């Protein structure tokens, strides 16, 4: 097993977990991979693969089992990839499909493995997709967006089947491990909803700080662990939602970005046998509201209703911690204090963590409660051993006995023809049957001895004709095999010359050593000529090499954490402290800038408080403009008016993927005294 973290500095870092999780265990770095050209936005792992979505409109694929970089696929939509989720069929070891959200509001369905083809691009949200959750059955998904809406996607039909308006913009949505409920995260509020035929509201969990991540317990106990932006961990019991059952005040020094369940059975060999037909199945315990709120959350004796025995947490301060949750709640005191988590080990990654996932290639997906599992048409492989005809007869009998019961969606009536919120039979994404035209063409090609023609998109019937693109038009999504996708070459790129085998082997070893040890900070001082060459290239990759030293980077991150704690945003800090705008306090008790009227252009020079790792005589300045971006001639005029001919200067504007403040235009200016020729 490995913990894989994504950082703001575009890196994927892997840490191997020991076989025996005990006190003072060591989290050893297993790999370092420069995956993206900007910050890593999301991360998910299933089977041997790890997929990361970045600010550079790419989904990067990494094979953890073999330690190989499989390349990247471009986002079918426009913009960054803020969320992605695998679907692993119940009882399987490898995922079958991948879902990804986009900043343009689209949700894409991919085929996992092989050529990683884009099967469908579904449109719905009027803004960026903030969160995405797949039901364990693989039949439906939930998404929340910047447009303050919750959408349910019918994956068998490839369309949005229901939309609910939310009171506020949701940050994330997550299904419980068994699929019995889902949680919505809206700033300081976490709301729990049931996914049965009633689709009722279970509880509202209100915090005093913003909730950044959560971890739900399997079964029906309703336990939930939330990570807050002040570094706290809060344990909730859905049966007593008035206050947290227990808290750990200083779990991390900064906001907690991810919580991952490390199950105790992962180190054991996987069970490859299937369940015997007719074997009794364990049903989740009923959720009953107690007469009084217990000081310690109730847990089943076998641990099926409580949180996992080991938990990993990651924070934006770059620290990953491993916890022993078997004593969860035993250290509780009055008022729910004392979470009872025992720290087993931690590691400082040296980067600003944005996401984390657990990679366990040997682990199989658990079966669904009630025995539902597997793919459609799979007979009794994962569905409890019953033949297909017997299952269909049983389902028809149940539908005849209950003809009036119609599953309800949360907050409204169902659309006719839609699947149930949690269907009893799991189906995969089916291919369209070939039409009569396709079968005639195939027979004619076989008689002529030529290659068999590919079926037309969409198959036959009205649905096939509607899915076929019109003459002269390209389809909306064109799947491109992974091996055919390559980065776009630069215009002035030289043709590659194959080096000798010995030189190629030495270069490969040197690149592997550099990739395994590349830190997110600058290890050597950048000379003036090196900086000029990086600015001349002007790409995201070249400008990303302009970095701070390790000490400067740590100091900068600590300062930024303090800024985010005191100000509503980094842009508000710049407007108040640098542009000297008036400020006010918002509802959260943070400082907020008062915007000025349009038309008042303001140019402000400010020396960078945390400069990059340059030579001692180089000064790093920032030129801020409030109304519009300056042209290169205007920037040169401002530099000449301030420093004159006795100084030489270099100017550059970072691309959006590297900027910490996007709402206020600014330019980097590097100056030094002119040296004699």
């Amino acid at each position: 097993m490995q913990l894989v973290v994504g950082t703001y500095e575009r890196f994927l870092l892997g840490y191997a977990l020991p076989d025996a999780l005990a006190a003072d265990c060591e989290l050893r770095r297993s790999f370092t991979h420069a995956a993206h050209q900007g910050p890593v936005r999301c991360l998910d792992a299933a089977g041997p693969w790890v997929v990361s979505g970045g600010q550079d409109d790419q989904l990067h694929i990494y094979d953890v089992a073999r330690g190989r970089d499989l390349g990247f696929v471009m986002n079918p939509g426009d913009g960054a990839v803020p969320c992605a989720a695998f679907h692993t069929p119940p009882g399987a070891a490898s995922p079958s499909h991948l879902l990804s959200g986009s900043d343009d509001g689209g949700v894409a369905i991919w085929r996992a493995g092989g050529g990683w083809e884009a099967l469908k691009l579904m449109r719905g949200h009027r803004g960026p997709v903030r969160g995405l959750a797949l039901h364990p059955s693989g039949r439906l998904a939930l998404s929340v967006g910047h447009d303050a809406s919750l959408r349910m996607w019918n994956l068998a039909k490839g369309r949005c089947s229901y939309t609910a308006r939310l009171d506020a913009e949701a940050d994330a949505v997550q299904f419980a491990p068994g699929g019995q409920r889902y949680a919505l995260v809206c700033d300081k509020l976490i709301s729990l909803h049931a996914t049965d035929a009633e689709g009722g509201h279970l509880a509202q969990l209100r915090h005093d700080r913003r909730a950044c991540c959560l971890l739900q317990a399997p079964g029906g106990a309703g336990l939930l662990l939330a990570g807050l932006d002040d570094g706290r961990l809060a344990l909730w019991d859905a049966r007593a939602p008035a206050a947290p059952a227990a808290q750990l005040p200083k779990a991390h020094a900064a906001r907690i970005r991810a919580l991952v369940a490390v199950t105790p059975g992962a180190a054991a060999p996987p069970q490859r046998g299937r369940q015997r037909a007719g074997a009794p199945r364990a049903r989740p315990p009923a959720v009953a509201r107690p007469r009084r709120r217990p000081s310690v959350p109730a847990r089943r004796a076998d641990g099926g209703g409580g949180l996992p025995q080991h938990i990993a947490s990651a924070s934006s301060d770059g620290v990953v911690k491993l916890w022993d949750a078997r004593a969860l709640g035993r250290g509780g005191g009055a008022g729910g204090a004392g979470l009872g988590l025992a720290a087993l080990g931690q590691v400082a990654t040296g980067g600003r963590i944005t996401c984390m996932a657990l990679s366990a290639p040997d682990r199989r997906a658990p079966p669904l409660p009630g025995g539902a599992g597997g793919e459609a048409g799979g007979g009794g492989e994962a569905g409890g051993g019953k033949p297909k005809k017997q299952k269909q007869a049983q389902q028809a009998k149940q539908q005849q006995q209950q003809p009036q019961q119609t599953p309800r969606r949360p907050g409204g009536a169902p659309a006719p023809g839609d699947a149930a919120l949690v269907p009893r039979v799991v189906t995969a994404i089916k291919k369209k049957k070939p039409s009569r035209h396709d079968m005639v063409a195939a027979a004619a090609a076989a008689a002529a001895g030529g290659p068999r023609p590919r079926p037309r998109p969409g198959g036959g019937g009205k649905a096939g004709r509607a899915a076929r693109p019109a003459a002269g038009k390209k389809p909306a999504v064109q799947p491109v095999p992974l091996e055919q996708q390559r980065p776009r070459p630069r215009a002035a790129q030289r043709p590659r010359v194959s080096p000798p085998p010995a030189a190629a082997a030495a270069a490969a070893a040197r690149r592997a050593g550099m990739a395994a040890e590349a830190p997110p900070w600058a290890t050597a001082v950048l000379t003036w000529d090196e900086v000029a060459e990086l600015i001349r290239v002007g790409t995201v990759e070249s400008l990303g090499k302009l970095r701070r030293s390790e000490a400067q980077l740590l100091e900068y991150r600590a300062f930024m954490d303090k800024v985010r704690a005191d100000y509503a945003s980094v842009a508000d800090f710049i407007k108040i402290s640098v542009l000297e705008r008036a400020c006010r306090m918002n509802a959260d008790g943070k400082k907020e800038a008062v915007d000025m009227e349009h038309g008042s252009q303001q140019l402000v020079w400010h020396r960078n408080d945390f400069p990059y790792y340059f030579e001692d005589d180089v000064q790093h300045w920032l030129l801020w403009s409030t109304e519009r971006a300056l042209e290169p001639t205007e920037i040169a005029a401002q530099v000449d008016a301030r420093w004159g001919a006795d100084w030489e200067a270099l100017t550059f504007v970072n691309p959006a993927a590297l900027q910490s403040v996007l709402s206020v235009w600014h330019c980097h200016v590097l100056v030094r005294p002119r040296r004699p020729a």
Side-chain angles (χ1 to χ4, degrees), residues 193-277:
H193 305 265
T195 55
D196 53 8
E198 297 298 330
H201 180 266
L202 297 178
Q204 282 191 351
L205 314 177
R206 192 173 298 275
H207 304 82
D208 56 350
R209 298 296 297 266
R210 179 173 176 265
C212 301
C213 56
L214 72 156
L215 178 64
Q216 300 187 66
L223 298 182
L224 183 144
L225 188 65
L228 308 183
D229 64 349
D230 59 351
R232 256 186 306 161
L233 283 173
L235 178 66
W236 289 87
D237 190 352
R239 300 168 298 180
Q247 297 187 41
L248 184 60
K250 296 183 179 180
H252 285 272
R255 71 179 66 180
I256 301 177
R257 299 305 301 264
L259 290 172
V260 172
V262 182
T263 56
Q271 298 179 358
R272 301 188 180 275
R274 69 183 186 184
Q275 187 175 358
R276 180 175 55 87

Side-chain angles (χ1 to χ4, degrees), residues 87 89 96-99 108-112 117-122 134 137-140 154-159 374-376 426-432:
H87 166 61
S96 60
H97 295 88
L98 171 72
L99 261 68
I109 306 177
W110 303 79
R111 188 184 304 281
E117 299 180 8
L119 302 176
K120 181 74 174 179
L121 180 60
M122 304 179 293
L134 258 165
S137 65
R139 187 71 181 272
L140 59 90
N154 189 331
L155 301 183
K157 299 180 180 179
R159 64 180 179 87
E375 299 294 340
V426 182
T427 59
I429 302 175
K430 298 181 179 179
K431 296 182 179 179
K432 296 289 184 181

